[in-house]
Structure formats: structure tokens, C-alpha cells
Amino acid sequence: MMSPHTEFAAMNNSEILVVKDLNVSYGESKVLFDANLSVKPGQVVSCVGRNGAGKTTLLKTIGGFLKPTSGSIIFNHTNLIGIRPYDIARMGLKYIPQDKRVFSDLTVRENLELGSYATRDYNWEQVTSLFPRLKSLMDHKGGYLSGGERQMLMIGRAILGNPKVLLIDEPTEGLAPSIVEQLKNVFKELSKKTALVIVEQNLSLVCAISAKVYAIKEGRVVTEISDEESIRSNICEQYL
Ligand SMILES: Nc1ncnc2c1ncn2[C@@H]1O[C@H](COP(=O)(O)OP(=O)(O)OP(=O)(O)O)[C@@H](O)[C@H]1O
Ligand SMILES: [Mg+2]
């Protein structure tokens, strides 16, 4: 068991989230091995890896949905281990799952409002300026949205309450190139206020927006790339 003192020592002051030596299993089956990751305010950090590498497991564990067997997750000076997902979200760390499930019988506005149910913090201006499309869809039922609109709604719901860190699992999966391009700009803009940890298979997007890229292979972070030249030249591909 780490003392609180050691945990603080593990965190560089400027980092908003530090994951250290995280191990996660599903029953007998071990899926993540000593995973490390960190992100600073104003950064976009990406995790890449093949299907089954453990990317979703990593994000779900950070969000509190899975309990690690060991390791620490320090968010804004607090160790999140043992804290429930709902409380982690209230603290300002939000997880957007891979499946873009919205409430189909609720309107877009009602779906968005659910994101701030706990904190009563509503930054409508941020949501509508990043997603003007949602503004015109406010009274539409969630069930009628296209895939791209659903993803905008998922992100909009998460940012309505001004989170400090957003974990987004495969945001562009199955979306048209024009929507991917829009999301790219949204991520760049959003990261000025909210640190982003994105799991993404679209490597050209990853190379365009990330300050740091983690390649995950068979449950291990096999490399961490943070120099701009290497990121832009898609060097992470060789580690997958
Ligand atoms: N609930 C579960 N119970 C048991 N094993 C699981 C469970 N969820 C995931 N796994 C296994 O854990 C490993 C990592 O899965 P995970 O979903 O984290 O991968 P991923 O990198 O997100 O993959 P993808 O790119 O397909 O989304 C896989 O071998 C998967 O089969
Ligand atoms: Mg996944």
C-alpha cells in the first residue's frame, strides 16, 4: 500500500491525471499489466492499439467502473481507487463509453441536461459553440439522431458540466470523414479547457491532435511517444 506521501510524489505538479502501475483483471484473466499514463491540462493524449489490447479496460478503470488489482490513479491530487464512478464524474473526470448510447425517448436538451444532474453546472455556451448542430436539434428525440449527431450529444453531455478531464473511447468509430474532421477541430478547441484522453484507431487523427501517444499491446503500454516530430510522422504505427 502506497502512503499518501508517495502518491503525491508520483505526480508532477502540472499533471491533472497520473495513472501508475495499474493492473486489471477480469476474474482469472489478467488484461492490463503495469499501465502508466499521464495528462496535463491543455493536452490531448491518445491511446492506440489493436482490438482487445485493453484500451477500453484502461479507460473504464480510470472512470471507476472497474476495480484494479493494484496501482494508483491520481486525479487532481486525489487517489481515485475505491471511489464510485458517479462521484468521480462529480469531481470532474468524465468517461464517454465506446457505445454511443443516448436516451432515445428524451430530447437532445433532456439528454444533455442529464450530464449535469449531479453538479447543476450548465455550460450551454460551450456546448452550442462547439456543436452548433446540436443547437438546432435541441427538441429532437435522441432516437432520431445520426451516428455523428449522437457522438456530438455524448461529448456535449460530458462537457456541459465543465469537466477537468474527459476520457473518450473511440469517438470516431464508424463516422464519416467529414464528421471526423469536425471532431478533430472540436478536440483541439476543447483541450484548451479540458484535458483529453482519447482511445482512437484512426491514426491520422491521432497524429494530428495528440501531444502524447501511448501504444498499448496485449495489455501493456509498449511505448510512449511525446516528441512532436515522431507523433506527426505516425511512428506509433510500428508498435501496434
Ligand atoms: N467483461 C469482461 N470480462 C472478461 N474479459 C473481458 C471483459 N471485457 C473485456 N475483456 C477482455 O479483455 C481484453 C481487453 O478488452 P478491451 O475491451 O479493453 O480491449 P480494447 O482495446 O478496448 O478493444 P477494442 O479495440 O476492440 O475496443 C480482451 O481480451 C477482452 O476480451
Ligand atoms: Mg475498446
Side-chain angles (χ1 to χ4, degrees), residues 11-12 21 23 34 37 60 73 75-76 100-103 110-112 130 138 156 158 170 195 207 222 228:
M11 185 169 72
N12 178 321
D21 300 332
N23 287 282
D34 294 321
L37 172 152
K60 279 187 176 167
I73 302 166
F75 164 63
N76 206 17
K100 305 172 193 53
R101 249 185 279 167
V102 304
F103 292 95
E110 289 163 342
N111 266 283
L112 287 166
L130 283 175
M138 281 296 175
E170 305 221 14
C207 297
V222 288
E228 192 169 344

Side-chain angles (χ1 to χ4, degrees), residues 45-173:
V45 160
S46 297
C47 301
V48 299
R50 297 183 179 207
N51 295 119
K55 307 178 299 295
T56 295
T57 303
L58 175 60
L59 293 197
K60 279 187 176 167
T61 309
I62 300 172
F65 298 91
L66 295 171
K67 196 173 181 312
T69 49
S70 65
S72 61
I73 302 166
I74 314 290
F75 164 63
N76 206 17
H77 305 283
T78 304
N79 194 344
L80 298 184
I81 307 292
I83 302 181
R84 292 170 305 171
Y86 176 83
D87 294 316
I88 291 175
R90 282 184 66 154
M91 291 160 70
L93 186 148
K94 296 233 172 144
Y95 165 63
I96 303 179
Q98 194 164 357
D99 55 45
K100 305 172 193 53
R101 249 185 279 167
V102 304
F103 292 95
S104 48
D105 289 335
L106 300 184
T107 64
V108 166
R109 186 189 326 276
E110 289 163 342
N111 266 283
L112 287 166
E113 280 169 351
L114 286 173
S116 289
Y117 178 76
T119 56
R120 310 278 156 181
D121 186 4
Y122 299 97
N123 190 344
W124 289 106
E125 156 57 26
Q126 171 166 250
V127 174
T128 53
S129 69
L130 283 175
F131 301 112
R133 177 97 192 110
L134 288 184
K135 201 171 178 176
S136 57
L137 292 170
M138 281 296 175
D139 298 313
H140 288 229
K141 289 266 160 73
Y144 295 127
L145 300 183
S146 70
E149 290 162 350
R150 274 208 302 279
Q151 186 58 269
M152 292 176 195
L153 177 53
M154 297 292 284
I155 299 171
R157 180 160 73 194
I159 64 174
L160 185 64
N162 290 315
K164 295 187 177 70
V165 175
L166 208 53
L167 313 173
I168 319 180
D169 201 346
E170 305 221 14
T172 71
E173 196 179 17

Side-chain angles (χ1 to χ4, degrees), residues 18-22 33-38 58 214 221 224:
V18 179
V19 172
K20 194 140 177 36
D21 300 332
L22 202 64
F33 302 82
D34 294 321
N36 288 288
L37 172 152
S38 66
L58 175 60
Y214 293 92
V221 176
E224 173 186 332

